Amino acid sequence: MSFDTLDKIDLRILQELQNDASLTNVELASRVNLSPSPCLARVKNLERLGVINRRVAVVDPQIVGLRVMAFIQVTLEKHVQSVRDGFAAEVGRIAEIMDCYLMVGDQDYLLRAIVSDVSDLENLIARISRIAGVASIRSGLAVRNVSSRRALPLDVSRPIQVKSASTDSERHRPSLHRHLQALA
């Protein structure tokens, strides 16, 4: 296992890209006081390391008709690897599930789902309940999003050591499944 160090410039690049991933390389270079060529090399290195694993557009769910956000707590019947793997694989195929966390505490998983209406939520919960190994489900509706952040709070005042991605296949595995595997 090898480690790479992210310096202040790398961290400033990450801050800028977290705020606006559509920046051109020239715009990004200007914001972090680099010339375009070294800036691009640093971005490519951050991608190679897996620090940047993708760039996405953040879509407003309300505008596209996805008005119901629910948090769904799932408890499994058994805590064996095969049941967790099966659950993770099934959940990873459900588009309405935005986040899935393996938990410690009263429930095994906490899911955040977004659907268009309560009827769709009912269908989603029924679909989750049919996944092998699910013992119980509890859900709650979010009334309003009070605060939401996508950007990580990076401290640019000190370097950060990151573990290099071990293989290309691991780096390109769907991120939800990869994170669940890492936690299991």
Side-chain angles (χ1 to χ4, degrees):
M1 170 182 345
S2 66
F3 289 88
D4 286 276
T5 301
L6 305 183
D7 62 17
K8 287 181 181 183
I9 295 171
D10 293 324
L11 294 170
R12 286 180 47 218
I13 287 170
L14 291 172
Q15 282 182 322
E16 292 294 336
L17 289 176
Q18 284 187 109
N19 289 326
D20 185 357
S22 70
L23 289 173
T24 67
N25 184 55
V26 172
E27 291 168 329
L28 179 60
S30 173
R31 289 185 184 193
V32 299
N33 298 318
L34 283 179
S35 60
S37 183
C39 183
L40 183 59
R42 283 176 177 263
V43 170
K44 293 295 181 191
N45 187 53
L46 292 167
E47 291 170 342
R48 180 188 63 79
L49 293 172
V51 175
I52 298 173
N53 68 12
R54 67 179 181 221
R55 299 182 199 193
V56 299
V58 179
V59 177
D60 186 319
Q62 296 288 322
I63 292 174
V64 296
L66 299 170
R67 292 183 170 84
V68 176
M69 182 186 308
F71 292 89
I72 303 167
Q73 300 171 357
V74 177
T75 304
L76 300 179
E77 293 171 349
K78 297 179 182 178
H79 296 98
V80 295
Q81 191 66 44
S82 61
V83 173
R84 286 196 312 254
D85 288 347
F87 181 81
E90 288 297 319
V91 164
R93 288 191 273 274
I94 301 173
E96 296 87 354
I97 297 176
M98 305 307 295
D99 298 296
C100 177
Y101 300 95
L102 179 62
M103 304 294 288
V104 174
D106 293 338
Q107 73 270 350
D108 296 314
Y109 290 93
L110 178 63
L111 313 176
R112 182 176 66 91
I114 296 180
V115 295
S116 60
D117 56 35
V118 176
S119 177
D120 285 347
L121 178 60
E122 182 180 15
N123 292 333
L124 175 62
I125 290 171
R127 184 174 176 191
I128 294 167
S129 71
R130 290 190 295 270
I131 297 174
V134 170
S136 68
I137 296 175
R138 293 177 49 200
S139 63
L141 295 178
V143 174
R144 178 173 36 127
N145 184 336
V146 177
S147 175
S148 180
R149 291 185 180 87
R150 304 283 188 288
L152 297 175
L154 300 173
D155 181 358
V156 298
S157 68
R158 60 181 176 77
I160 296 175
Q161 280 198 331
V162 296
K163 183 173 41 168
S164 299
S166 55
T167 66
D168 278 348
S169 64
E170 182 177 311
R171 202 168 58 243
H172 295 292
R173 189 181 309 156
S175 74
L176 175 63
H177 186 69
R178 182 177 66 238
H179 292 293
L180 289 174
Q181 289 297 324
L183 291 172

